[in-house]
Amino acid sequence: MPVARPRHAASVIVVRESADGPEMLMGMRGARHRFMPNRLVFPGGAVDRGDYRARAAAPLRPDVLMRLAKASSPRLAPALAIAAARELHEETGLSLGMPPRLDCLDYLCRAVTPPELPIRFDARFLVLDAARLGGTLAGSGELEGLRYCRMAEALALDLALVTRKVLEQLQAWLVLSPEQRRAREQTPVLRKRAWQME
């Protein structure tokens, strides 16, 4: 059987602070989805052709662009961020502006769907402070039950392996200072269910 080629994709982890600690915006993929149906996920989706041509109100930070481009290309890196912002708006009603400001995004990690699966994605996970968003939480219906989940609450659920692994990376990222986040030169990549650094 030929191995499916993974599609480039991007997801956004929207984080907000609460009295009980950080919360992440998540929603349930419907039962009709071919990829990860009935799973709690972050907003996101595949890169479209238009994402390569779309302009941004503010570009990615240089450190984020450098790490995104390391395993993609200078052209794909901003398209990934545009796709993340577009999907966030489509699925949640929340927006980074039209055109979007990309300078508030950070690059957390990457996950590549294992080669034995028929549908594959090469997904980048970006992090965003909810305070930078405009709009009202009311998605397109693609994600059901959109809500902010506490870390312990989310990890106690029956999550897909990739979602659980990404949340574990987020836990480590959240304790870093802004300076430490900017100083990172390598990015964790989940391949064949194990983390590597690139």
Side-chain angles (χ1 to χ4, degrees):
M1 291 289 291
V3 176
R5 182 177 180 179
R7 292 184 65 189
H8 292 297
S11 290
V12 185
I13 308 173
V14 179
V15 180
R16 74 176 185 187
E17 285 297 327
S18 74
D20 297 319
E23 299 176 330
M24 292 73 59
L25 181 61
M26 305 183 78
M28 187 74 69
R29 290 178 67 85
R32 295 183 179 181
H33 281 278
R34 292 179 61 214
F35 186 75
M36 290 177 64
N38 300 313
R39 289 290 194 173
L40 196 65
V41 297
F42 310 109
V47 176
D48 290 343
R49 289 184 180 179
D51 296 326
Y52 289 91
R53 300 186 299 271
R55 66 186 186 91
L60 289 164
R61 293 192 334 241
D63 60 297
V64 175
L65 179 62
M66 178 198 72
R67 286 187 289 113
L68 268 176
K70 186 182 291 186
S72 58
S73 70
R75 185 166 175 261
L76 174 58
L80 287 162
I82 289 285
R86 175 182 52 76
E87 290 281 349
L88 176 68
H89 184 244
E90 290 174 2
E91 295 182 348
T92 72
L94 302 176
S95 173
L96 283 169
M98 300 293 173
R101 293 190 62 90
L102 306 181
D103 54 347
C104 52
L105 293 167
D106 201 353
Y107 179 28
L108 177 68
C109 61
R110 176 183 175 202
V112 183
T113 308
E116 66 269 18
L117 297 182
I119 301 175
R120 303 183 65 209
F121 289 96
D122 186 345
R124 280 73 167 187
F125 292 85
L126 306 171
V127 187
L128 172 65
D129 184 344
R132 304 298 296 269
L133 289 169
T136 302
L137 187 61
S140 62
E142 189 171 344
L143 293 182
E144 302 169 4
L146 282 164
R147 63 190 177 95
Y148 284 91
C149 301
R150 297 188 305 276
M151 183 69 72
E153 175 190 5
L155 290 173
L157 298 173
D158 180 23
L159 299 173
L161 175 67
V162 63
T163 307
R164 183 173 301 280
K165 292 282 192 181
V166 169
L167 282 173
E168 291 170 358
Q169 289 292 335
L170 180 65
Q171 281 184 303
W173 182 88
L174 286 168
V175 301
L176 299 177
S177 68
E179 293 75 22
Q180 289 173 317
R181 293 169 186 170
R182 288 174 181 268
R184 291 180 305 149
E185 295 182 356
Q186 292 187 304
T187 302
V189 183
L190 188 64
R191 292 182 184 276
K192 298 182 179 178
R193 301 176 176 84
W195 288 109
Q196 305 169 6
M197 298 299 289
E198 68 178 15

